[in-house]
Amino acid sequence: MNPQEQLEQRGKFRMTVFEEEYFQGKSCEFRFECQNILDRDFRKIRSIKVENGPWVGYEYPEFQGQQFILEKGDYPCYQAWSGNSSYRTEHLLSFRPIKCANHSDSKITLYECEDFMGRKFEMCEDYPSLQAMGWCSKEVPSIKVNSGAWVGYQFPGYRGYQYIFERDRHQGEYRCYNEYGTQAHTNQIQSMRRIQH
């Protein structure tokens, strides 16, 4: 990224992280990704204020482990970012901005089989239940992001594990569930929504 692009990006993404819950303890503002909060002399992140842009937080350094979507707002404790997740992590250790999010121009294609084979379904709207909209399975074996950024959830109603799908990662192509994230152990996705910017 050249210096001009860095300047343009600065205003688009901003969040403040805190070492303790309810915005207590050591804090630091970020405008760019952080691969390991431990390198910044933090022990962990336990609360967050997102001022601009969507971000994704990870439970481990180097963008590894469970993913959590962080849109504009306050996250005073882990329940705020994990929501109805069946997976509980009380801190985050790395995070990055989601640069391609565009709520008004988002399109994604779900495929019945790996490698973009079988029946497909294109989506431009949020769906709290993929089965209710006509998807005949609890599983989504491959995904192609045509535009924008999306978050998929393990269960209906935007619950369970979260998987972030972006147009500018993997060229927007997720050929099998192993590419959904380092924590993906199944291709079960039952609800999806566009990421807010």
Side-chain angles (χ1 to χ4, degrees), residues 108-121:
I108 193 166
T109 306
L110 313 180
Y111 292 86
E112 184 177 44
C113 303
E114 290 185 353
D115 293 316
F116 316 122
M117 303 296 289
R119 195 183 101 178
K120 67 180 183 177
F121 185 83

Side-chain angles (χ1 to χ4, degrees), residues 5-14 31-32 52:
E5 289 173 326
Q6 286 181 345
L7 264 169
E8 290 172 9
Q9 290 294 330
R10 273 185 194 222
K12 292 183 181 179
F13 301 98
R14 189 173 76 223
R31 295 173 186 258
F32 300 100
N52 284 328

Side-chain angles (χ1 to χ4, degrees), residues 74-93:
D74 292 350
Y75 300 84
C77 59
Y78 76 90
Q79 292 98 332
W81 66 65
S82 62
N84 292 323
S85 176
S86 58
Y87 189 86
R88 173 183 151 161
T89 185
E90 295 185 11
H91 62 269
L92 300 176
L93 296 177

Side-chain angles (χ1 to χ4, degrees), residues 6 17 20 44 46 58 60-61 64 75 77 82 96 114 118 146-147 150-151 153 164 188 195:
Q6 286 181 345
V17 300
E20 300 301 331
K44 61 194 170 275
R46 299 209 45 195
Y58 296 84
Y60 299 121
Q64 301 293 308
Y75 300 84
C77 59
S82 62
R96 62 177 178 78
E114 290 185 353
N146 308 92
S147 59
W150 296 74
V151 57
Y153 296 85
I164 311 302
Q188 183 176 341
I195 292 176

Side-chain angles (χ1 to χ4, degrees), residues 1 15 50 60 91 96 100 107 116 143 184:
M1 186 179 300
M15 80 172 183
V50 176
Y60 299 121
H91 62 269
R96 62 177 178 78
C100 65
K107 186 176 179 182
F116 316 122
I143 292 174

